[in-house]
Amino acid sequence: LHDRAANYSKLDTPDLLLLAPMLGDGLLTTDGPLWRRDRGEIQPVLARRQIERTGEVMPGVVAQMLARWRSRPDAAAPLDVARELSRLTLEIAARVLLSADFVSRSHEFGEAMDVLNESMSHAHRGGAGVQRAFRPALDFIRSTVWQTILARRFHDTGEDDLLATLLRTQRE
């Protein structure tokens, strides 16, 4: 992969076409010089101690999800496992990258993520309603994340996560 990186472009792949409207131009959606610059900025976050931190966060988030499942009012009701695992992934990413707990803090955030996931996966037949809901859901998520970024920009919490690294790089 490293020696022949030019053979493995993300450009015009189905995944990129689905992610780009949500993520814009960034590490996951670019190639070449822009990707190399962005990748270099987050390199400190990929250090061994940060990866180990990820391993420390995951069991707690999984335990919270399982506790939530056990406390459902109707334990016999079907559980949407795809939705639940998507939320689990989001929660782990938010805690590791931003030291934030969006899902348990806001039911609306989870619902907005569900809309984006449905829109991206085209899993919803007759998805015109999902497509109409895409922009407001994306705006809500961006607003929530932006509030987290602004708060951390003006108040250093001492966290050592991706956001802290990016803010430090920006200040430098």
Side-chain angles (χ1 to χ4, degrees), residues 127-155:
V130 170
Q131 293 306 320
R132 276 192 303 278
F134 178 85
R135 178 54 55 188
L138 181 59
D139 290 345
F140 178 82
I141 288 168
R142 285 183 173 165
S143 171
T144 303
V145 171
W146 186 241
Q147 288 171 16
T148 300
I149 292 169
L150 286 175
R152 292 274 298 278
R153 183 178 282 167
F154 295 107
H155 176 68

Side-chain angles (χ1 to χ4, degrees), residues 31-51:
D31 259 342
L34 182 58
W35 177 86
R36 270 190 290 290
R37 184 204 71 198
D38 289 350
R39 176 65 169 76
E41 288 179 359
I42 70 155
Q43 181 62 36
V45 176
L46 302 175
R48 181 183 179 111
R49 65 178 166 56
Q50 291 294 62
I51 301 302

Side-chain angles (χ1 to χ4, degrees), residues 11 13 18 25 33-34 38 67 69 74 82 102 110 117 138 145 153 155 170:
L11 302 179
T13 62
L18 292 172
D25 288 338
L34 182 58
D38 289 350
W69 288 3
D74 182 3
F102 294 133
N117 285 331
L138 181 59
V145 171
R153 183 178 282 167
H155 176 68
Q170 187 180 48

Side-chain angles (χ1 to χ4, degrees), residues 40-151:
E41 288 179 359
I42 70 155
Q43 181 62 36
V45 176
L46 302 175
R48 181 183 179 111
R49 65 178 166 56
Q50 291 294 62
I51 301 302
E52 288 170 351
R53 180 177 176 263
T54 302
E56 294 166 3
V57 168
M58 286 184 199
V61 177
V62 170
Q64 287 176 337
M65 177 188 69
L66 295 174
R68 192 178 70 248
W69 288 3
R70 284 190 289 273
S71 67
R72 293 182 308 144
D74 182 3
L79 188 64
D80 186 340
V81 175
R83 175 181 280 186
E84 291 294 321
L85 293 180
S86 175
R87 286 186 179 188
L88 176 67
T89 302
L90 165 70
E91 185 64 16
I92 291 168
R95 289 191 190 186
V96 169
L97 302 175
L98 306 172
S99 299
D101 182 0
F102 294 133
V103 173
S104 67
R105 187 173 72 188
S106 169
H107 178 73
E108 289 174 290
F109 195 89
E111 293 298 318
M113 282 306 301
D114 291 343
V115 169
L116 295 186
N117 285 331
E118 286 183 41
S119 175
M120 287 176 37
S121 69
H122 303 285
H124 185 70
R125 296 211 182 272
V130 170
Q131 293 306 320
R132 276 192 303 278
F134 178 85
R135 178 54 55 188
L138 181 59
D139 290 345
F140 178 82
I141 288 168
R142 285 183 173 165
S143 171
T144 303
V145 171
W146 186 241
Q147 288 171 16
T148 300
I149 292 169
L150 286 175

